[in-house]
């Protein structure tokens, strides 16, 4: 991983004020939809077992955004952590999260330079960080994401299409694939 020479971008303050007033829950729903479509299938079952029922938060500090979620019953779920603090929070600016995802910055470098703050359960935080470090970032490339989304949608829609065909008496031995 290389340290990027591009100066860190910050969300402009007027934009951050607007974003910070948006309700958290709808954003968390969108966030977990992305996690389920792109990330969940690449996580090891042991990791998912350790995440079961744990409350997590991604806090994009310069944008004033917080995404609260949990892993429960085989999927990431949006959550509301308004009453108690989540088990684990990752906080950084948007640019630093971008650099992490692009592997332009090492999470340890960001952590020790205080650009990435990890709060809460230390063991859980280390497990999540190591898990994300081990994932091949090629799965986040647009082509791979679109392929995975198409595959997921196909798996969900095909049984419905077959059932609709059968109930309409269509198909005459022709199988949809």
């Amino acid at each position: 991983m290389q340290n990027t020479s591009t100066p860190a971008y910050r969300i402009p303050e007027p934009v951050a004020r607007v974003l910070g007033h948006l309700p958290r829950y709808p954003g968390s729903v969108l966030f977990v939809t992305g996690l389920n479509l792109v990330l969940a299938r690449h996580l090891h079952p042991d990791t998912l077992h350790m995440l079961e029922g744990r409350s997590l938060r991604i806090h994009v500090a310069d944008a004033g955004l917080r995404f609260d979620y949990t892993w429960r019953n085989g999927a990431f779920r949006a959550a509301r952590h308004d009453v108690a603090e989540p088990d684990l929070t990752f906080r950084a600016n948007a640019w630093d999260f971008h650099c992490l995802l692009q592997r332009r910055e090492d999470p340890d470098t960001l952590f020790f330079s205080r650009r990435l703050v990890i709060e809460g359960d230390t063991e859980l935080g280390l497990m999540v960080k190591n898990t994300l470090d081990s994932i091949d970032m090629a799965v986040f490339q647009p082509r791979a994401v679109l392929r995975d989304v198409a595959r997921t949608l196909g798996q969900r829609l095909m049984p419905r299409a077959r059932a609709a065909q059968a109930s309409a008496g269509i198909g005459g031995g022709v199988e949809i694939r």
Side-chain angles (χ1 to χ4, degrees):
M1 290 182 216
Q2 60 188 25
N3 190 330
T4 181
S5 60
T6 307
Y9 173 81
R10 288 189 56 88
I11 303 294
E13 184 61 35
V15 174
R17 275 196 303 271
V18 170
L19 292 174
H21 283 86
L22 292 174
R24 287 188 206 169
Y25 190 75
S28 294
V29 170
L30 291 173
F31 183 74
V32 299
T33 299
L35 289 177
N36 285 321
L37 287 172
V38 178
L39 181 65
R41 70 174 31 96
H42 301 287
L43 297 177
H44 193 275
D46 290 343
T47 299
L48 297 175
H49 178 73
M50 288 184 68
L51 288 175
E52 184 69 34
R54 304 301 298 270
S55 58
L56 307 161
R57 173 178 287 157
I58 298 292
H59 180 181
V60 186
D62 62 336
L65 294 173
R66 292 183 180 148
F67 303 106
D68 293 338
Y69 60 104
T70 188
W71 176 266
R72 191 173 49 251
N73 300 325
F76 286 105
R77 313 264 182 204
R80 290 186 170 105
H81 304 318
D82 296 329
V83 177
E85 287 298 308
D87 295 321
L88 181 66
T89 298
F90 283 90
R91 183 177 67 236
N93 288 332
W95 178 255
D96 294 322
F97 280 125
H98 169 76
C99 289
L100 280 172
L101 286 174
Q102 296 295 314
R103 298 273 166 113
R104 294 181 184 171
E105 290 278 4
D106 178 80
D108 292 328
T109 301
L110 290 176
F111 178 78
F112 288 115
S113 66
R114 295 194 168 118
R115 291 169 46 201
L116 172 65
V117 177
I118 303 171
E119 298 172 315
D121 185 318
T122 306
E123 182 181 351
L124 181 63
L126 187 58
M127 186 271 302
V128 169
K129 183 194 86 61
N130 290 338
T131 297
L132 293 174
D133 277 346
S134 70
I135 293 175
D136 178 8
M137 288 295 126
V139 302
F140 296 112
Q141 296 300 319
R143 183 173 291 163
V145 169
L146 290 174
R147 182 190 63 239
D148 287 347
V149 168
R151 183 180 305 132
T152 299
L153 289 175
Q155 290 169 349
R156 290 181 182 169
L157 295 177
M158 288 310 287
R160 292 180 188 156
R162 287 188 180 127
Q165 263 190 330
S167 69
I170 302 173
V174 177
E175 186 175 326
I176 298 175
R177 290 185 186 245

